[in-house]
Amino acid sequence: MTETLGLRERKKRQTRQLISDVASGLFMQRGFDDVTVAEVAEAAGVSTKTVFNYFPRKEDLFLDRYPEAVELVTRAVRERAEGESPLVALRLLFLRMLREGHPLGGIAPGYEVFWQVILDSPALRARTRELVEEFESVLAGLLAEAAGSDPADPAPRLAAALVVAAYRAVYIASIDRIRAGDPMQDVIADRVTLLDRALQAVERAVAAF
């Protein structure tokens, strides 16, 4: 039974990845708003219903890694080393992802096309803002859980907002530099330094608060 469930789960993940990959390819070729879910389904060889079973919103076909981001930060906070603060664990996670070229690190060759698809679509821009807000809320919950604090305590919410703001500021600055033609490796190297400094500043600010 366990092996059967494992096989089913693998097949589900493979189908989800196939649909997302096909959708991303179409969106990057033609633009997000000019591709329908029905066209994605046909190209992936599945039904439209199947697409919506995996992705309730069209925007999530392109922004499909959000669940993975939540999983990564959740594990980083809950499985952090003894004596390590949640904010330090998050900083180490973000820096490691960037150094290793993880897709969620946000900076890699070819990402210019990905960013342009988002910039060209009001729907994707709106969904991106929603996901950032959702992520901040998830992060606040994790920090409150780690501290054992009252849900009404503003400290975890402040800490989560500062982490997201610091990350976003450095990320946008990196995108602007790459779009302006700066060498990718220079941007990545500088981003590691800036992100480390920004998140350490957040740690100090939260400790003072």
Side-chain angles (χ1 to χ4, degrees):
M1 178 64 74
T2 301
E3 291 181 1
T4 301
L5 290 175
L7 178 59
R8 288 177 182 172
E9 183 60 30
R10 286 197 299 273
K11 286 185 175 180
K12 286 174 64 177
R13 292 186 180 185
Q14 290 170 357
T15 300
R16 185 183 190 277
Q17 191 62 55
L18 170 65
I19 294 170
S20 176
D21 289 346
V22 169
S24 295
L26 291 173
F27 295 150
M28 285 190 277
Q29 289 173 12
R30 295 165 46 194
F32 179 80
D33 297 328
D34 292 332
V35 176
T36 67
V37 174
E39 289 175 314
V40 171
E42 182 178 1
V46 299
S47 68
T48 300
K49 180 181 178 181
T50 297
V51 173
F52 281 119
N53 284 341
Y54 287 96
F55 302 94
R57 298 177 59 163
K58 178 186 173 185
E59 292 82 3
D60 296 339
L61 283 162
F62 197 62
L63 304 170
D64 65 305
R65 287 187 175 272
Y66 175 73
E68 182 183 355
V70 171
E71 180 182 352
L72 286 171
V73 299
T74 298
R75 289 176 55 189
V77 172
R78 291 179 176 170
E79 299 176 12
R80 65 190 185 280
E82 184 177 354
E84 185 176 83
S85 76
L87 292 183
V88 169
L90 289 169
R91 173 164 55 87
L92 295 178
L93 168 67
F94 295 151
L95 292 174
R96 183 173 69 252
M97 289 168 61
L98 185 55
R99 291 189 178 106
E100 294 177 355
H102 190 285
L104 284 169
I107 301 292
Y111 269 43
E112 300 93 326
V113 180
F114 177 83
W115 301 326
Q116 194 61 53
V117 172
I118 295 176
L119 291 173
D120 289 342
S121 170
L124 276 178
R125 294 201 304 272
R127 182 58 177 152
T128 300
R129 288 192 293 270
E130 289 178 357
L131 290 178
V132 170
E133 292 176 1
E134 289 178 23
F135 185 80
E136 185 178 309
S137 179
V138 168
L139 193 53
L142 288 169
L143 296 177
E145 174 189 290
S149 53
D150 189 297
D153 186 350
R157 295 182 183 180
L158 173 63
L162 290 174
V163 168
V164 170
Y167 190 93
R168 183 174 182 273
V170 175
Y171 182 61
I172 291 175
S174 299
I175 291 175
D176 289 343
R177 285 186 59 190
I178 291 173
R179 286 169 60 84
D182 286 5
M184 178 73 68
Q185 291 306 313
D186 290 350
V187 175
I188 292 175
D190 290 344
R191 186 178 174 195
V192 168
T193 300
L194 289 173
L195 187 58
D196 190 24
R197 289 169 53 191
L199 293 176
Q200 287 195 54
V202 169
E203 292 165 26
R204 292 192 296 270
V206 171
F209 180 79

